[in-house]
Amino acid sequence: MRVTAIIAAAGAGRRLGAGRPKQLLDIGGRTMLEHSLAAFVGHPRVSDVIVVLPDVVAIPGVRVVAGGARRQDSVANGFDAVPADVDVVLIHDAARPFVTAELIGRTIDAAAAHGAAIAALQSRDTVKRVSTNGVITDTIPRDQIYLAQTPQGFRRDVLAKAIGMGRSGVEATDEAMLAERAGFPVHVVDGDPGNMKITTEEDLEAARARTRTAGKPARTGRAGTGYDLHRLVDGRSLVIGGVTVSSDRGALGHSDADVVCHAATDAILGAVGLGDIGLHFPDTDPRWKGADSLALLEQAAGMVARAGYEVGNLDVTVVLERPKIRDMIEEMRARVARALDVDVSRVSIKGKTNEGVDAIGRGEAIAAHAVALVRSRS
Ligand code: MG
């Protein structure tokens, strides 16, 4: 199925009174027209895009056609440029710059299935018909009221007849109305409340505010976890968080077997998807024999920084039956924070026993759990 989109951008947009056509006003660094065009040019199911402008100027990747006196004349001019083998034609107002790919897709499907379809939103408000002297004459059931949006989609033959109606003198505010007049049932597809039409100064401000939030990449937070365990044996020193703790037994390992640094390293690497400590500092590599694990943590922090992230915070729980580490925790935090190149307030280390249960409880091992949150730097 070949689909062409006609973007109606020939209006003078005088209601916005900005001294230039509204479709050329800036919204978050791009014109309203560019936003609308991008949605269709980038859509996988749209083959060609025709834009109808007040004056013909070259725009890469799209066909530009001069507008007419009224909107329907402009769209008719655009239709004349639609290739002969196109099955479905979409018409979209450039003044709706936030149209989504999903809405475009829904409109294509409905137009292909039914011949004519438009995006529309069911009214949330009760609608009253009011006489010229300000008195309600009728309340229209809300479930029968839909507010028309664009895109509007038509099979080529249906749109040809609708436009023929327009050329024969029928006035219409949109092509769906011409199709109705030509006797075609026009189906409604669920519109999108975000697919706003920019008409007033307030609309323009709302649109700009929206791109200020949406256009800025969010400072994405990513979490990572780490876990480490080492056996406790005689004749080794016990290094925890870069601090040598006085103990009759120490942690067995290829490096200094610092469970806090190892769990922290895995947590920050995991947060940015950079693997784990074993990948970067394998215990089969003689370079890391007896290594200072704070230095490994510092190297891992450098990898995280080069990936564009900084450590928001790190929280570590050390599980150890004895000795008590409470008095050394401030020193551990300071050393770990220095390795991470962050303020000490971002690092938490807590000690816990295993209540005599299991290997850790029997004093045979030390373990640590870590959670890190990293944030993109820009
Ligand atoms: Mg380890």
Side-chain angles (χ1 to χ4, degrees):
M1 181 167 60
R2 185 168 174 182
V3 179
T4 292
I6 298 172
I7 311 299
R14 289 193 189 86
R15 265 182 290 184
L16 265 178
R20 58 195 304 205
K22 71 175 174 184
Q23 58 274 23
L24 300 182
L25 296 177
D26 180 90
I27 297 175
R30 288 201 294 179
T31 64
M32 202 182 297
L33 175 60
E34 286 172 312
H35 282 281
S36 296
L37 276 178
F40 290 88
V41 170
H43 199 285
R45 296 175 65 190
V46 176
S47 313
D48 338 81
V49 177
I50 297 166
V51 59
V52 189
L53 287 174
D55 302 297
V56 175
V57 292
I59 301 178
V62 302
R63 173 127 190 224
V64 180
V65 169
R70 300 165 301 172
R71 180 200 144 92
Q72 70 187 76
D73 303 322
S74 295
V75 171
N77 291 356
F79 182 69
D80 289 340
V82 171
D85 61 341
V86 161
D87 306 290
V88 166
V89 182
L90 300 175
I91 297 157
H92 184 69
D93 286 335
R96 292 185 189 271
F98 300 122
V99 61
T100 62
E102 291 72 28
L103 184 55
I104 294 170
R106 285 202 291 278
T107 310
I108 292 171
D109 288 337
H114 304 295
I118 72 167
L121 273 186
Q122 188 162 27
S123 173
R124 294 179 192 161
D125 300 320
T126 299
V127 179
K128 307 285 190 186
R129 200 189 304 278
V130 179
S131 70
T132 46
N133 54 2
V135 175
I136 292 170
T137 57
D138 193 10
T139 296
I140 306 166
R142 185 166 51 188
D143 57 5
Q144 294 175 14
I145 299 294
Y146 282 77
L147 310 174
Q149 298 188 332
T150 65
Q152 307 197 342
F154 306 89
R155 278 206 310 264
R156 193 184 207 287
D157 56 308
V158 172
L159 186 58
K161 294 203 176 80
I163 283 174
M165 291 290 294
R167 284 186 166 138
S168 73
V170 173
E171 292 249 1
T173 51
D174 66 6
E175 286 58 48
M177 195 169 152
L178 291 173
E180 293 158 39
R181 289 293 201 85
F184 295 103
V186 179
H187 284 249
V188 163
V189 299
D190 282 338
D192 175 3
N195 181 29
M196 64 186 292
K197 184 170 189 179
I198 297 172
T199 307
T200 66
E201 201 63 50
E202 290 74 34
D203 298 338
L204 186 62
E205 267 321 301
R208 284 174 174 160
R210 191 166 141 173
T211 57
R212 275 196 291 276
T213 327
K216 225 184 268 166
R219 276 172 56 90
T220 319
R222 296 181 57 139
T225 71
Y227 168 74
D228 195 36
L229 178 143
H230 284 265
R231 286 170 58 196
L232 293 174
V233 295
D234 294 331
R236 287 274 300 186
S237 56
L238 182 58
V239 182
I240 308 174
V243 177
T244 302
V245 176
S246 162
S247 168
D248 55 345
R249 312 183 91 192
L252 181 65
H254 183 67
S255 65
D256 61 9
D258 183 334
V259 288
V260 166
C261 287
H262 293 186
T265 300
D266 271 1
I268 64 171
L269 290 174
V272 289
L274 280 176
D276 63 9
I277 190 168
L279 179 72
H280 299 285
F281 314 106
D283 60 10
T284 49
D285 188 331
R287 271 185 301 166
W288 315 123
K289 185 165 169 54
D292 173 358
S293 297
L294 274 181
L296 306 186
L297 178 59
E298 192 176 336
Q299 284 193 46
M303 294 174 202
V304 168
R306 286 192 291 282
Y309 290 86
E310 63 182 12
V311 174
N313 75 297
L314 171 76
D315 185 24
V316 185
T317 300
V318 180
V319 193
L320 175 66
E321 210 63 21
R322 60 184 171 273
K324 290 268 178 276
I325 60 168
R326 192 185 304 125
D327 293 345
M328 334 229 13
I329 277 178
E330 286 316 303
E331 183 59 23
M332 294 173 188
R333 288 177 64 206
R335 291 191 185 199
V336 169
R338 207 175 308 137
L340 293 174
D341 194 22
V342 298
D343 189 81
V344 69
S345 64
R346 298 197 190 188
V347 175
S348 157
I349 297 175
K350 311 173 319 277
K352 217 164 178 59
T353 73
N354 220 30
E355 294 286 329
V357 176
D358 292 346
I360 293 173
R362 290 190 299 270
E364 295 168 16
I366 176 173
H369 301 264
V371 172
L373 183 77
V374 301
R375 295 184 301 221
S376 62
R377 280 140 97 78
S378 48

